[in-house]
């Protein structure tokens, strides 16, 4: 039996407009047994499946959602391959995989969401029409009572708002933003208010992880916003603040590949700002060395659970198969003109040589 059976049985019974009692009477079982089948707490005896299928006028395969089981296996295969490509920086490769998956499973909402997000991450200008159609399709899904569908709808709304903002269509962006709910009323925050014990620890880890992720992207948004006129000192201090928070929560750099990637970007950004304003050489040296250290550590992350207080039990993944993407990017950043005044200094040469060795 499988996780889709309970949902399928409820749907078939609702379509046929029969009560649990009537179905139980037909099968010569108790109504409590049918109730347990529909909640997923128990499953019917295998000998009852042909009678159940005949009662609803479907095949046993349809009743057991065999197609959905195959789709889940196929989705997991695509997901694993695409995740590795995406984490290695190959967004175009990940997009091609999800396009292939969509051709195979055009009605699968998991595939729709992943393809929508791939269009968004790869080139949302180029693929605007494809992205928009999928986002609207997801928003129109009947998400009531289905946590995963509600999450996908929220993702679609978020990306729609951001795309329209980037296109300068502020009113449309604000319209979509109003379709969302307040962060303080989100499922995760409410769960952390009512759960206890291990569930509470899991809630805290989940919220902390994603808050840190959003902090990083908020700092990047500030960095890339040319309309902010507070000067580069302000933007540099935003990077410094977020880096300190990451290094406080993720003690001893014990974290995943992506978080070390964030830290590398933050420290490289701090150094770049300091070089731009021709500031303190020691600051530039320190942050470039930290950027290199984070890149190096990111190459060897193994799957494990964290034990940090606010992230206890959160699981990291193995470094992707292309484990040199961060060090390659650092190598490119070191070639910028802004670092020319330091290029002949021993500490800078050492960073360049050590980076080249890792490549």
């Amino acid at each position: 039996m499988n996780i889709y059976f309970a949902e399928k049985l409820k749907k078939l019974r609702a379509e046929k407009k029969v009560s649990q009692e009537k179905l139980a009477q037909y099968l010569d079982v108790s109504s409590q047994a049918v109730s347990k089948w529909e909640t997923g707490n128990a499953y019917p005896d295998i000998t009852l499946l042909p009678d159940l299928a005949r009662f609803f006028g479907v095949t046993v395969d349809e009743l057991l959602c065999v197609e959905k089981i195959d789709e889940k296996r196929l989705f997991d295969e695509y997901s694993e391959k695409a995740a590795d490509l995406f984490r290695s920086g190959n967004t175009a490769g990940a997009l091609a995989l999800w396009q292939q998956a969509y051709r195979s499973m055009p009605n699968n909402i998991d595939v729709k969401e992943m393809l929508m997000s791939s269009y968004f991450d790869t080139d949302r200008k180029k693929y605007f029409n494809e992205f928009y159609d999928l986002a609207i399709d997801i928003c129109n899904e009947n998400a009531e009572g289905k946590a995963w569908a509600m999450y996908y709808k929220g993702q679609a709304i978020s990306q729609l708002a951001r795309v329209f903002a980037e296109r300068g269509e502020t009113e449309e962006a604000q319209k979509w933003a109003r379709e969302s709910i307040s962060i303080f009323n989100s499922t995760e925050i409410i769960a952390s208010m009512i759960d206890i014990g291990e569930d509470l620890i899991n809630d805290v880890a989940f919220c902390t992880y994603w808050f840190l992720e959003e902090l990083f992207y908020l700092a990047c948004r500030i960095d890339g916003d040319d309309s902010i006129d507070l000067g580069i000192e302000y933007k540099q201090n935003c990077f410094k603040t977020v880096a300190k928070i990451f290094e406080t929560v993720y003690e001893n750099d014990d974290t995943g590949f992506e978080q070390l990637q964030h830290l590398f970007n933050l420290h490289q950004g701090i150094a770049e700002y300091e070089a731009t304003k021709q500031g303190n050489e020691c600051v530039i040296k320190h942050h470039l060395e930290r950027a290199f250290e984070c890149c190096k550590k990111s190459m060897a992350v193994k799957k494990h659970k964290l034990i940090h207080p606010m992230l206890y039990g959160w699981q990291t993944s193995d470094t992707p198969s292309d484990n040199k993407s961060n060090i390659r990017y650092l190598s490119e950043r070191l070639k910028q003109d802004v670092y020319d005044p330091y290029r002949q200094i021993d500490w800078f040469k050492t960073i360049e040589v050590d980076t080249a060795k890792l490549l």
Side-chain angles (χ1 to χ4, degrees), residues 83-91 257 320-323 325 328:
D84 188 66
L85 288 168
F86 182 81
R87 295 172 72 228
S88 300
N90 188 355
T91 54
F257 174 84
S321 55
D322 179 6
N323 68 342
S325 56
R328 278 200 304 272

Side-chain angles (χ1 to χ4, degrees), residues 16 21 43 85 89 107 112 122 144 148 151 167 175 187 189 214 217 226 250 253 277 285 309 321 328 359:
K16 200 171 178 70
E21 289 76 13
Y43 297 106
L85 288 168
N107 296 312
K112 288 180 185 178
T122 304
E144 187 176 351
W148 48 270
Y151 168 77
R167 288 163 64 92
K175 184 197 84 171
T187 302
I189 291 294
E214 290 306 315
Y217 288 114
D226 294 333
Y250 292 113
D253 293 340
K277 62 186 182 182
K285 176 178 180 288
S321 55
R328 278 200 304 272
L359 289 174

